[in-house]
């Protein structure tokens, strides 16, 4: 079934594992991720960022997931980094089972108010909500503005907003890491000791297996991967086109990219559930 993210995260917290949240960009990445969920029998969260929806159409990805999902482990459909109430509401109406409202660039009180409004609306439609406190590196930070999530504020944020999960700033970054990332695993423990809300790690592509495992042990229940899947898709596509320069039918060269996304997603699933 396509269930709420909140349901998957409650089970993850009880079972001390994390549910992988895998960003998709097109039909082929949806196919690859669903094949991996099926072959492993594990739940995954399929997610899209607003830029993906601008690229492929707001209703397209939920329609593809519904059409291609054929049972097996439960999955969820999530809006990643929703920037305003409008896009959250439209995704909720189109069938997403969770949305992220990212108010992390706002002052604390404004982030709380925005997240609470989205959570109230989402909960009235049985949809769960992820909020964010602190900075995730990469696209979000401006020079000198990186801030780690404050554990006391995290507790207040969860209580005041009713959010079902919380993305935390602990040193991760979206995209490709320059140098070795330093992740404040102690900070995750501190936050988890103050609030029961399931914690979310963004920017996991490029982290070592050991770091990901220690983040899960510290209390992370959902882990976002985008770059790793995009790299797998694109490298396989390049190889396939180079190996078959005469090919012009996408149905002949895209299956290699689907297979590469499936393999990458299986690796991620293995890491998050072990
Ligand atoms: P990566 O692209 O670094 O895997 O980050 C994914 C992410 O956090 C999406 O929100």
């Amino acid at each position: 079934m396509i269930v709420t993210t909140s349901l998957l995260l409650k089970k993850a917290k009880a079972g001390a594992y994390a549910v992988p949240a895998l960003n998709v960009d097109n039909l082929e990445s949806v196919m690859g991720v669903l094949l991996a969920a099926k072959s492993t029998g594990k739940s995954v969260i399929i997610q899209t960022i607003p830029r993906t929806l601008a690229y492929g159409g707001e209703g397209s990805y939920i329609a593809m997931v519904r059409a291609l999902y054929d049972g097996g482990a439960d999955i969820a459909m999530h809006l990643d980094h929703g920037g305003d109430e409008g896009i959250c509401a439209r995704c909720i109406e189109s069938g997403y089972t969770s949305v992220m409202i990212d108010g992390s660039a706002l002052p604390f009180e404004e982030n709380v108010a925005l997240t609470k409004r989205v959570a109230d609306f989402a909960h009235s439609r049985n949809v769960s909500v992820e909020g964010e406190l602190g900075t995730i590196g990469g696209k979000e930070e401006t020079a000198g503005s990186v801030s780690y999530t404050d554990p006391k504020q995290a507790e207040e944020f969860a209580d005041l907003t009713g959010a079902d999960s919380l993305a935390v700033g602990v040193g991760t970054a979206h995209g490709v890491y320059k140098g070795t990332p330093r992740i404040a695993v102690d900070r995750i423990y501190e936050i988890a000791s103050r609030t029961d809300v399931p914690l979310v790690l963004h920017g996991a592509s490029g982290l070592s297996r050991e770091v990901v495992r220690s983040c899960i042990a510290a209390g992370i229940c959902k882990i976002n991967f985008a770059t790793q899947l995009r790299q797998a898709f694109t490298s396989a596509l390049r190889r396939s086109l180079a190996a078959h320069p005469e090919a012009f039918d996408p149905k002949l060269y895209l299956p290699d990219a689907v297979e590469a996304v499936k393999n990458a997603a299986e690796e991620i699933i293995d890491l998050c559930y072990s």
Side-chain angles (χ1 to χ4, degrees):
M1 276 201 329
I2 305 183
V3 301
T4 63
T5 294
S6 163
L7 187 75
L8 299 182
L9 298 190
K10 276 185 190 134
K11 288 186 188 165
K13 200 169 166 71
Y17 59 86
V19 185
L22 306 171
N23 287 68
V24 293
D25 294 292
N26 52 23
L27 170 68
E28 286 70 25
S29 53
V30 171
M31 289 162 74
V33 166
L34 285 174
L35 284 170
K38 187 154 184 147
S39 70
T40 58
K42 301 291 188 196
S43 291
V44 298
I45 297 159
I46 298 181
Q47 57 186 20
T48 51
I49 54 173
R51 235 167 0 101
T52 303
L53 300 182
Y55 166 73
E58 285 193 358
S60 306
Y61 297 87
I62 179 73
M64 287 193 276
V65 168
R66 280 178 165 163
L68 293 172
Y69 176 68
D70 65 350
D74 291 339
I75 59 167
M77 186 72 194
H78 179 72
L79 171 68
D80 187 28
H81 290 285
D84 58 60
E85 288 165 85
I87 195 164
C88 290
R90 293 194 299 279
C91 285
I92 290 167
E93 299 297 356
S94 74
Y96 279 61
T97 54
S98 63
V99 293
M100 175 184 191
I101 178 70
D102 181 357
S104 59
L106 298 172
F108 181 75
E109 288 73 19
E110 287 174 40
N111 187 5
V112 165
L114 174 65
T115 307
K116 182 170 172 11
R117 282 199 303 276
V118 173
D120 288 347
F121 178 76
H123 292 161
S124 73
R125 283 152 172 82
N126 193 30
V127 168
S128 39
V129 170
E130 176 179 330
E132 180 179 328
L133 255 192
T135 316
I136 294 154
K139 296 175 202 84
E140 285 180 14
E141 93 255 46
T142 45
S145 72
V146 173
S147 71
Y148 284 9
T149 305
D150 177 83
K152 188 165 169 294
Q153 270 197 346
E155 180 183 1
E156 276 174 48
F157 186 86
D159 291 346
L160 292 170
T161 61
D164 304 278
S165 60
L166 177 65
V168 290
V170 291
T172 58
H174 295 118
V176 178
Y177 285 98
K178 304 179 192 81
T180 309
R182 292 180 190 284
I183 311 306
V185 178
D186 288 358
R187 183 64 68 110
I188 301 170
Y189 275 106
E190 283 174 49
I191 300 166
S193 73
R194 296 195 71 125
T195 174
D196 278 339
V197 73
L199 303 179
V200 181
L201 190 72
H202 282 239
S205 300
L207 299 182
S208 69
R209 290 181 72 84
E210 293 65 36
V211 167
V212 171
R213 287 224 174 87
S214 55
C215 290
I216 297 171
I220 292 290
C221 300
K222 170 179 183 269
I223 309 187
N224 290 6
F225 292 86
T227 301
Q228 192 173 331
L229 298 167
R230 292 181 181 136
Q231 287 170 329
F233 176 92
T234 305
S235 309
L237 181 57
R238 284 200 180 105
R239 277 196 306 275
S240 188
L241 287 170
H244 306 286
E246 74 297 346
F248 59 83
D249 183 344
K251 294 186 290 304
L252 297 180
Y253 56 78
L254 284 170
D256 288 346
V258 173
E259 182 71 14
V261 172
K262 172 181 179 269
N263 292 340
E266 283 174 350
E267 242 177 68
I268 291 169
I269 291 168
D270 176 64
L271 173 60
C272 290
Y273 278 89
S274 59

